[in-house]
Amino acid sequence: MSVTNKKTTAQRVHWQAHQSTNAEIPENTMAAMEYAWELGGIPEIDIRQTADGIIIGLHDETPRRTTTASEADRDRLVSECTFEQTQAWDAGVIFNDKYRGEKVPSLEQVLAVLASHPERELYLDYKQVDLDKLAALIERCGVERQIIFCHRDHDNCRIMKRLVPGIRTMLWISGGSNPEAEVARKFAEAAVSGFDALDIVQIHLVDADNLSGEAQSGPWRYKVQREYLQMALGQLAEKGLELEVLPFHFSEDSLFALLDLGVRRFAVDEPRVFVATLERYSFT
């Protein structure tokens, strides 16, 4: 997001509308893409491939959770379904009836809209696609400089950078059951490579155990500590790269603490809440 209100004209804060836990809009739909763009953010689309080779937006391996797929289809792997079959499913009504009629979009449909708005950007979160096919589609649509390719496997980021040199890549790092140790280990592995072929590293921020009451609104609520993020910011900045954080929960205090630290790239589950909170932050 390029924040345009008067308080932040000298600053740039970018944010990704995270999909699989988005609380405000049915995930991986054209409605979700437009929602994020209109708020000034960058939508994410989770990408999978159908049996007939069409790349679509869907997070899960099956359509059960997010669509009205029939009893016969809802537990089938999407990779075993044709694109035509996916178009029989409603991808919006389960979230809210006002989104009835939303379809599972093809990535080509999304990229066509992206191509007509060169100021917009899009995150592609790799789930299961042929990377050569993906690269060809991106280049055919002419949107490589608007794309941020994301995955937890550094090698896939390297492959995409080789196939489409103009794109940006982001390695995302989650913490599992031991966030501090796992984040540190995975970040160190990327650092040893010199952050090869990467433009952004994303760190997932989960709440400390048994967080409640006053701690929820306090300035630091995450298992990954402030000092570690400060180190990561500095190390990436030395390479001309960016740190992004995904705080699964945030209060005004905890978001402001991340901004005070120098974080300028976020992934969020509540885009409208994030934007409203950000507007209260004073960039000085």
Side-chain angles (χ1 to χ4, degrees):
M1 172 188 180
S2 297
V3 184
T4 57
N5 66 54
K6 63 182 181 181
K7 292 188 295 183
T8 60
T9 52
Q11 301 287 337
R12 290 179 63 83
V13 173
H14 305 269
W15 59 269
Q16 171 197 150
H18 189 231
Q19 290 297 298
S20 62
T21 48
N22 197 305
E24 297 176 356
I25 199 82
E27 66 184 72
N28 289 299
T29 60
M30 284 305 305
M33 303 299 106
E34 292 290 352
Y35 184 78
W37 282 324
E38 288 171 8
L39 279 172
I42 309 170
E44 169 203 19
I45 186 167
D46 298 297
I47 50 175
R48 293 189 175 278
Q49 196 165 305
T50 62
D52 50 344
I54 304 300
I55 301 173
I56 61 171
L58 199 76
H59 180 274
D60 299 356
E61 291 184 336
T62 74
R64 170 185 282 272
R65 180 176 63 87
T66 57
T67 80
T68 60
S70 67
E71 185 72 30
D73 284 345
R74 64 184 182 181
D75 291 319
R76 290 183 66 190
L77 295 177
V78 173
S79 58
E80 297 174 352
C81 300
T82 66
F83 180 67
E84 183 179 5
Q85 285 174 302
T86 71
Q87 297 308 284
W89 311 333
D90 191 307
V93 69
I94 290 177
F95 184 88
N96 189 297
D97 192 67
K98 71 180 180 178
Y99 296 108
R100 183 181 296 276
E102 285 290 328
K103 300 296 184 183
V104 172
S106 72
L107 180 59
E108 188 166 7
Q109 290 170 330
V110 178
L111 296 188
V113 176
L114 185 68
S116 67
H117 295 274
E119 77 284 1
R120 292 178 173 179
E121 297 174 296
L122 179 70
Y123 286 85
L124 302 182
D125 195 332
Y126 171 87
K127 299 303 180 190
Q128 173 266 318
V129 298
D130 180 303
L131 293 180
D132 288 303
K133 182 182 286 288
L134 174 62
L137 176 59
I138 291 170
E139 292 192 321
R140 185 166 73 249
C141 292
V143 294
E144 54 270 24
R145 298 195 181 280
Q146 296 168 260
I147 295 292
I148 303 169
F149 174 86
C150 320
H151 200 232
R152 62 186 176 186
D153 186 332
H154 195 165
D155 283 341
N156 281 327
C157 294
R158 291 186 177 102
I159 291 168
M160 282 305 297
K161 183 72 85 171
R162 174 175 55 81
L163 291 172
V164 190
I167 69 166
R168 283 161 291 163
T169 58
M170 183 178 83
L171 177 71
W172 59 264
I173 300 176
S174 62
S177 60
N178 187 356
E180 288 183 279
E182 282 297 291
V183 165
R185 179 182 67 80
K186 294 173 185 176
F187 187 88
E189 288 174 357
V192 166
S193 76
F195 302 104
D196 178 41
L198 296 176
D199 298 279
I200 305 167
V201 175
Q202 182 194 79
I203 293 177
H204 291 188
L205 299 180
V206 297
D207 285 352
D209 294 332
N210 303 316
L211 193 69
S212 63
E214 184 177 340
Q216 289 185 345
S217 60
W220 202 261
R221 61 185 293 161
Y222 306 113
K223 286 187 176 182
V224 174
Q225 291 301 302
R226 184 197 316 256
E227 294 76 15
Y228 185 83
L229 288 186
Q230 184 70 70
M231 180 280 297
L233 269 169
Q235 197 166 347
L236 289 167
E238 287 177 2
K239 298 286 186 178
L241 309 179
E242 294 180 88
L243 175 69
E244 178 170 304
V245 298
L246 168 52
F248 288 100
H249 302 97
F250 65 86
S251 62
E252 180 176 290
D253 285 344
S254 58
L255 178 58
F256 286 8
L258 290 165
L259 291 162
D260 287 346
L261 202 62
V263 176
R264 292 295 181 266
R265 190 175 283 274
F266 295 82
V268 296
D269 292 324
E270 299 176 287
R272 194 169 294 278
V273 175
F274 175 81
V275 169
T277 307
L278 187 63
E279 287 175 350
R280 296 193 293 272
Y281 183 75
S282 178
F283 290 85
T284 56

